[in-house]
């Protein structure tokens, strides 16, 4: 069962973004609470000073650690004595701000947990990657779905050859919430996601296609090396793609199909993956995350299930659950698992190792760069009318 | 509830192919029995005279109507007095024989029920189409999956605008039975399906990809006008594709993703389709054919279910079931529904209409031609490295 | 794969009941057609001579073998030369007629296939049992659900000790179609089922509770020896129970819970069973009959699936399917399997054995008697306010 | 979306029990963290002083607020200044200690959150109830499953008459983890649960049967007034029931079936309920807690789904989710919802109301008493051989 890493103290978090109406901020705060390794002690929750202050009050933070902009927070916090300064900056702003904030955080010596996609261009991403290396800081990108322990069970089964050489991958991330012109109706979430100045060159692919790409690479253990894509904008007046699909090829010969859409009317948050190998296959659906369907040639399908007491799972997967079998875990636990791995890494930098080993799930800057390259390749391929485009 | 069309007499069937070991022949005989409108009275079940005779004996046919080759059957049966000659020829041979047999059947004045794919080339398909028109005969291609009544429910819901304009289609037909080199192991079904001389230019796409294509066109009510494909041969030594995927575009603007594979280890017969429109969507899986998931924006998903007493279904869909709700129907009923529609058509040519109207499900020669064009476009696109290829 | 037993001739069937509007007659005719071992050649389809004649015409029977009452049919058919007389009488009338017709059929030397419940009283049932023994005839009761091959797979797994000693059984048969007063609305099916003069002492328990009881005994391989019941009549004005539940105990120590209801609004035909043993358990649902969930302590759940090619099933179970895996089979196939086993038995009386062995599923007169005893015990227990009542 | 109640300060919790190896303590701590309204500041985690101290250290509590027994904790904490004393005592010890601890907590003026079952006898329960009233304190019993928002959706739909008058209820709580003699193998969880001195007169019924009973009463909105039960001890050597089933009757005429078992080999945590009314029914399974199946006569079944943005849910149900639709929530969120309602109640005692209204889910002392009465009636009925026993 997941315990917190260390009993000496909580790691100190400062959050940027995540004020009122920004649901992702609250999600992170809940995951931080579940994780147990951190305390949220500072924040620049909004570029609106009132909103930021009000959010800080609601969270019962010291008024002097609630900031009206991230620049102030990063520089002033960096100036605090080492024993009382932040360990980690959590970035939950719209996409277009990720880059500049992350750079400033790293430059001020902080570890970073950043919402995805990493940046709005590949150049920024690579530049950020260089900075992470240069500053020798930890950087986690919130590909939250990797935090579901059964995803790691699938990855390990593939890696250990349980299914033989992998031939085919189907990955799909469908949502329906942008089926209508929500941005015209003033839905905040919709507004920035469909605005090129805030989301970059892609809407749907950038927002959720990257999750599908990331999940495929993580589970299969191969990189996507080439895509052939067709992006669409179905809702009239929308400026970015709201749907896309691609054929792809992976580094060790697997082939794949990816579909991502935010106009699949009636679908909630349908991320799923199927991986087919020579000897068997597996299938996982985010909306039923506590089950993993495993199939072997000539055998009945098996349903692997979550649970801290589930003895047929790999020990570190088993250890990544907070509750015994039959007690469903969900999205918040998945995100808490990312926080927990990051905490382990941070403590390791202090020379302290955890007693208990969980699945180390830390989508890193490298994954972030790959995501940006993927977005760019998808857009290029689609613009070129479906040519096969290599991922740099 | 499905009743047989006419009480005066049974329509007379002669079968070509379908001898011992050819499972599809027995499947047809069971569907014919279920349908109730026909009697199987003649056959050329194998090119091996002994096999054909033995099969005829087992089926209790008159010895004089069991033939050692189809040519003899077609010409001798055509010579019988009109009141005692065959009404319908059922062709259940390997793909490469469909064309020549169908031509001869039509030329001798018979209606035809033919297994798919129609022929091995587009040229043959078009030539056959011309002959069907010329001879004014009925021609049904066994796209059996169209015979499931809930597939027609979906089609009608789409046609009536229940989901708004259709934007996206996902169709997938996955099987796992060719995951290993079954043809090398002597599996008869595998041998002809993977042999270019008997199956034509494609393996998996020709065998099952065509079902996926056909299902998409039927449900969406649009034609696939362009494909961008990537075919694969994963099993070493195999001569034809055993897997393929494509992006596609339809005639009224829907876009789609199609995946077909016979190396999806552990999957049985996984044909499924999801159709997404502006206002809602639906989803159907062949392995659970008695359910249709219907989703509307802002509403809970609904599960439409099979049954002759299911009042919320369209009346003609309701009428296409043989049992009341909660009594599962399966593949044989679906095929029997194709036979039944064909019987209605044949009787209509005699000026007789059925009392009761079912969903008229008769995949016709036009669909067969389209299937051949689809196969050719898929192979061309893949060979050209993924260019978008129009469907003639 | 299921083939028909014998190539020499079809066994001759005469049907009693099953005229227009009686859906169960058509269901039997479809199953007979699917089975392939029989020909329906005679019938007394209704006590209304016109209805019977019209039904015979529709079925294309010789007018001289269509009768206006069953007495005539049984005596006149018995008088035909042995080579041209009926082999089997199928009784599909309302419950209250089963006894007298079955007796007359047996006395005239015919084998019998009879709809359930067997009779309206235990006395009749025992008397019929004596007659079956005395006349040495075959007698099958249509507990159709036993005809699903995966039910036999479950039974065999239990019998071979795959789950250890069985401790607990949950069996449930819920329907919703009598939630309202359908009999007052003139629904024919509802009328006789809720009428004590035609259905005997029980409505729901007699109609479907007996299926649940029978399924439990068949799968567990133990007899129910004691019940403690509570029957209800929920719809005002109804004269017989429309719902009931019981605790029960079985002959080798298993305990159970049974629920049967026809007022479970929204449920179609929800028969299901779960069997729990020391080492594992299994679960089967009639509405998804092609799957059997198998659980073993400490292992992931397995989904056993139907199919003539499903190698992990017992060979005779595998042989009881008509289609390969992934091609759903349904209720009609289940009933056809009962017909097929009966055909094997009848031919065995002629000294002829089938080439191929299927699961022998023949719910016999003994099961019929047990069903009647069960009904009586349920009613008694409920009337006595829930005392434990032994099954005679 | 669930926010914490008040921004002024956290309510202060002291925990009794829940030291190392006691998984339920950690579960509560995680739920408390998720809830956000509380801070855990004191504890008597074990009767072993070392264990308690070590646990307190791990949780980073002040050493002076970690106690070696609950008596010390309650009296010393009660002596602290009002502004710095505990608000709430959480009791997560084995069953037999609940009563004495709860009494002492109440007498010292604390609100109480107590694990279930409430006590080991009905007398204790009633006496505790009197004390709660007398002291005018808040008391919540951890019937955690009521905390799932869709359970409250179901309750409200029933209460508003969406299904008409309720006729029948099926409730089942099956687990498999005590299929073998785990107590002999030294499993701590198994030891106290199967020990009459620590668990009282019942094992399985007391441990999980009470959850099933409670869920039925909560959803149906009627009380169980009579039971007819059969309890079993299947594992040799075990001293308390490990399985039981009952027929029951409710206060406004609904009838029910309840099954609870801890020897259902292979089942994880299978709590489920189906409620059938005149016009429709609903079904909920704890292992898939984000779905509620709703059926209405003559309509397709609907799947109601969780989500803070799910507009077809009752507003207060919608408000009880922490994540938008498609992001699974689980057991910890359910328990956090109980904590949250209790926090609202406690603040209300201070004259402060929350801004936002969630479903008020607070299983109270009354429910606890009813649970004890239920256990006693079940044991009595079973001992008397299945007589109908009224619930006091």
């Amino acid at each position: 069962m997941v315990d917190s890493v260390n009993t000496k103290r909580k790691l100190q978090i400062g959050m940027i973004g995540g004020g009122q109406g920004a649901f992702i901020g609250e999600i992170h705060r809940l995951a931080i609470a579940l994780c147990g390794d951190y305390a949220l002690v500072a924040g620049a929750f909004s570029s609106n000073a009132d909103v930021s202050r009000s959010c800080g009050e609601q969270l019962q933070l010291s008024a002097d650690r609630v900031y009206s902009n991230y620049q102030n927070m990063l520089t002033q916090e960096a100036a605090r004595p080492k024993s009382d300064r932040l360990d980690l900056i959590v970035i939950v702003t719209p996409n277009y701000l990720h880059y500049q904030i992350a750079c400033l955080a790293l430059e001020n010596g902080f570890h970073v947990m950043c919402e995805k996609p990493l940046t709005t261009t590949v150049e920024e991403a690579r530049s950020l990657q260089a900075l992470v290396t240069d500053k020798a800081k930890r950087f986690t990108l919130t590909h939250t779905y990797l935090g579901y322990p059964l995803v790691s069970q699938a990855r390990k089964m593939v890696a250990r050859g349980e299914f033989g050489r992998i031939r085919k991958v189907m990955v799909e991330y469908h949502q329906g919430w942008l089926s209508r012109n929500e941005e015209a109706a003033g839905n905040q979430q919709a507004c920035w996601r469909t605005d090129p100045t805030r989301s970059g060159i892609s809407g749907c692919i950038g927002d959720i296609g990257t999750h599908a790409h990331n999940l495929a690479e993580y589970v299969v253990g191969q990189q996507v090396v080439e895509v052939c894509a067709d992006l669409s904008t179905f809702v009239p007046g929308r400026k970015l793609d709201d749907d896309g699909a691609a054929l792809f090829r992976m580094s060790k010969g697997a082939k794949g199909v990816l579909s991502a859409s935010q106009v699949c009317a009636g679908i909630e948050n349908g991320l799923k993956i199927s991986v087919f190998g020579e000897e068997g296959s597996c299938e996982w659906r985010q909306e039923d995350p506590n089950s993993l369907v495993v199939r072997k040639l000539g055998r009945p399908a098996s349903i692997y299930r979550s649970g801290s007491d589930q003895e047929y799972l790999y020990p570190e997967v088993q250890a990544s659950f907070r509750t015994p079998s039959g007690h469903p875990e969900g999205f918040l636990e998945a995100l808490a698992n990312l926080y927990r791995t990051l905490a382990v890494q941070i403590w390791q930098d202090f020379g302290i190792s955890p007693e208990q080993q969980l699945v180390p799930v830390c989508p890193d800057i490298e994954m972030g760069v790959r995501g940006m390259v993927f977005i760019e390749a998808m857009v290029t391929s689609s613009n070129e009318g479906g040519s096969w485009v290599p991922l740099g």
Side-chain angles (χ1 to χ4, degrees), chain A residues 135-156:
Chain A
K135 298 294 178 186
K137 290 292 153 194
R138 299 294 182 172
F139 190 99
T140 294
L141 193 71
T142 55
H143 277 304
T144 304
Y145 302 111
L146 303 195
Y148 283 110
L150 289 183
V151 167
S152 289
Q153 174 74 19
R155 172 183 165 86
K156 279 200 94 131

Side-chain angles (χ1 to χ4, degrees), chain A residues 146-375:
Chain A
L146 303 195
Y148 283 110
L150 289 183
V151 167
S152 289
Q153 174 74 19
R155 172 183 165 86
K156 279 200 94 131
M157 292 182 82
V158 169
R160 295 206 179 173
E162 294 256 352
F163 308 123
R165 198 167 142 270
I166 300 306
R167 291 166 167 169
K168 188 178 177 89
V169 184
M170 302 288 295
V171 65
E172 165 182 316
Y173 197 160
H174 288 173
Q175 299 177 332
W177 71 286
L178 288 174
S179 290
R180 291 177 181 153
N181 196 333
E182 300 293 335
E183 57 272 36
N187 176 323
Q188 237 191 74
Q189 298 292 326
C191 284
W192 69 258
R193 277 184 173 83
T194 57
D195 175 1
T197 67
R198 285 182 283 175
S199 276
I201 59 172
S202 167
C204 171
I205 295 301
D207 193 28
I208 63 173
T210 47
H211 277 301
H213 162 256
N214 175 257
L215 183 64
E217 291 200 343
Y218 182 73
V219 172
V220 179
Q222 299 183 28
Q223 296 195 338
V224 172
V225 291
E226 232 181 332
V227 296
C228 170
D230 190 21
L231 309 192
S232 308
T233 304
F234 282 115
V235 172
R238 187 162 286 164
K239 292 180 188 144
L240 292 172
D241 57 280
D242 50 22
D243 175 274
L247 311 178
F248 63 86
R249 294 168 185 160
M250 303 193 85
S251 49
K252 292 178 200 154
K255 290 193 169 185
V257 178
L258 179 149
S259 175
S261 182
Q262 295 178 310
V263 297
C264 284
I267 302 295
E268 295 175 349
N269 197 34
L271 174 62
K272 62 184 173 186
I273 186 167
S274 300
V275 174
F276 301 99
E278 293 167 329
E279 301 295 326
S281 59
C282 65
E283 184 181 324
W284 179 83
R285 293 175 50 238
Q286 192 272 148
E287 294 187 336
D288 181 18
N290 297 296
S291 296
L292 174 71
V293 183
V294 172
R295 296 184 173 93
K296 300 285 178 75
L297 281 175
R299 302 284 315 140
S302 291
I303 314 297
Y304 284 51
R305 294 272 301 158
S306 64
S308 57
D309 54 349
Q310 209 65 284
E311 295 178 11
Y312 54 75
L313 299 177
Y314 294 117
E316 65 273 34
V317 172
Q318 195 180 323
S320 298
F321 292 104
R322 285 166 178 77
T323 54
S325 57
H327 296 73
E329 300 197 11
F331 184 81
L332 296 174
E333 285 88 343
L335 184 52
N337 286 343
L338 260 57
Y339 272 98
R340 214 262 166 171
T341 302
L342 182 55
V344 170
Q345 293 180 343
I346 293 174
W347 282 112
Q348 282 171 341
D349 292 346
F350 289 110
I352 295 164
S353 286
E355 289 171 28
Q356 191 191 20
Q357 196 49 62
L358 310 196
V359 174
V361 189
C362 233
D364 58 11
I365 184 77
E366 160 89 25
M367 281 193 194
V369 173
R370 292 200 53 70
M372 292 311 302
V373 170
F374 166 76
I375 295 171

